[in-house]
Amino acid sequence: MNKKIIIGNWKMNPNSVLEAEKLFKSIKKLTVKGVDAVICAPSPFLSNLKKIGVTTNLALGAQNVHFEKEGAYTGEVSATMLNSFKINYSIVGHSERRAMGESNDDIAKKVLALTKNKIIPIICIGEKDRDHSGFYLHTIKAQIVSALSLIPKTIFKSVIIAYEPVWAIGANAERPATPAECHEMVIFIRKCISDISNTQTAHAVRVIYGGSANVEDAGLFLNDGMADGFLLGRASLNAKSFGEIIKIASINISK
Ligand code: 13P
């Protein structure tokens, strides 16, 4: 069984560095041994949060990265910069960034830049909607195959795949996915990885779920949905909810 990982994607929240520090400190107190927790905060806050201190149970991540090493890319942050203050994770290919024009090719280059800098990519994949013919499975497969296309197979096992169906994300979501839908996708994602590497690697990759996940359904996604953890949006902006989900994941370890 893979070690559980609970990742918070704060998106463009909270409004001030003071609030960010307060939230991070509260979350820090609620982390537990045996479950990895990661907070992906807005870039301007990372340095201050780093000073509060990461632990073996709590790491920091970025929400995006540019694939180039340096240069005339106004507003962008490179993997080298993130590495220079020891940020361990970065989200790539979030649907909110894909909606701004990020392509599968861009994401592949970002994954490469991150792994070259020893930063773990949290690769977001997910369909915009589902169709009865199952075409969305082709979308998912293409996203996975492309995201992993530039890195050596030997490091596939270190990446995290976050299955985030777009229709399940945010306050305007159609509905959350069901644990059964999550389970199906976890199997499908592992099969896609296995097809381009091997079964052992496919099982070692942590596949997590994101999209309106909360305290009420977290246990079901971990048990029945076979998720290795979560990428949480709204639930990561509340220390109590985030801590509760970490606790649920820690209980799940013994199963
Ligand atoms: P919500 O949990 O708020 O639906 O957001 C999910 C998400 O997009 C995490 O990256």
Side-chain angles (χ1 to χ4, degrees):
M1 186 192 269
N2 294 328
K3 191 175 181 191
K4 298 280 182 288
I5 184 159
I6 311 299
I7 305 172
N9 175 10
W10 282 359
K11 307 191 179 181
M12 201 167 71
N13 300 290
N15 277 324
S16 70
V17 70
L18 279 180
E19 285 172 87
E21 286 174 354
K22 198 167 155 233
L23 180 57
F24 189 71
K25 279 180 196 159
S26 310
I27 286 175
K28 192 174 168 179
K29 287 192 204 124
L30 300 171
T31 56
V32 299
K33 200 167 160 264
V35 176
D36 289 330
V38 183
I39 293 297
C40 296
S43 300
F45 298 158
L46 286 174
S47 173
N48 282 46
L49 301 183
K50 184 84 207 207
K51 282 185 199 131
I52 293 171
V54 293
T55 65
T56 47
N57 308 321
L58 179 64
L60 278 167
Q63 296 177 6
N64 185 31
V65 68
H66 197 274
F67 48 78
E68 292 292 353
K69 204 165 167 255
E70 63 199 352
Y73 303 99
T74 304
E76 297 289 346
V77 171
S78 72
T80 327
M81 289 173 189
L82 294 175
N83 181 20
S84 74
F85 56 104
K86 304 208 162 30
I87 294 300
N88 299 117
Y89 295 82
S90 177
I91 295 173
V92 263
H94 193 280
S95 57
E96 287 152 16
R97 297 219 56 95
R98 289 183 191 258
M100 291 178 212
E102 196 165 291
S103 68
N104 277 348
D105 286 352
D106 295 334
I107 292 158
K109 289 191 259 180
K110 290 179 182 209
V111 169
L112 176 65
L114 288 170
T115 53
K116 271 188 179 168
N117 282 281
K118 309 261 176 293
I119 299 168
I120 298 174
I122 303 158
I123 304 168
C124 298
I125 58 168
E127 74 281 4
K128 283 203 194 88
D129 34 48
R130 288 197 167 194
D131 52 283
H132 292 301
S133 57
F135 188 77
Y136 65 92
L137 295 172
H138 294 277
T139 308
I140 299 292
K141 183 163 190 172
Q143 288 175 340
I144 297 172
V145 171
S146 175
L148 299 176
S149 62
L150 302 179
I151 60 168
K153 290 183 181 22
T154 47
I155 60 168
F156 281 9
K157 58 182 180 297
S158 66
V159 311
I160 294 165
I161 304 282
Y163 172 59
E164 295 208 313
V166 182
W167 47 267
I169 295 176
N172 298 323
E174 267 172 44
R175 59 174 180 88
T178 62
E181 285 166 333
C182 175
H183 189 192
E184 237 169 58
M185 293 311 292
V186 169
I187 294 170
F188 181 72
I189 290 164
R190 294 203 194 286
K191 168 81 172 78
C192 292
I193 300 171
S194 169
D195 287 347
I196 50 171
S197 58
N198 54 59
T199 27
Q200 208 188 355
T201 301
H203 280 96
V205 172
R206 288 192 279 188
V207 181
I208 63 175
Y209 171 74
S212 302
N214 56 44
V215 177
E216 284 72 41
D217 57 20
L220 289 172
F221 276 108
L222 296 172
N223 279 315
D224 305 345
M226 301 302 283
D228 290 324
F230 295 101
L231 182 54
L232 303 167
R234 285 157 294 162
S236 69
L237 294 169
N238 178 305
K240 199 162 163 263
S241 307
F242 194 75
E244 199 58 42
I245 294 172
I246 292 175
K247 205 161 120 199
I248 293 167
S250 75
I251 296 165
N252 221 262
I253 295 171
S254 51
K255 293 200 172 156

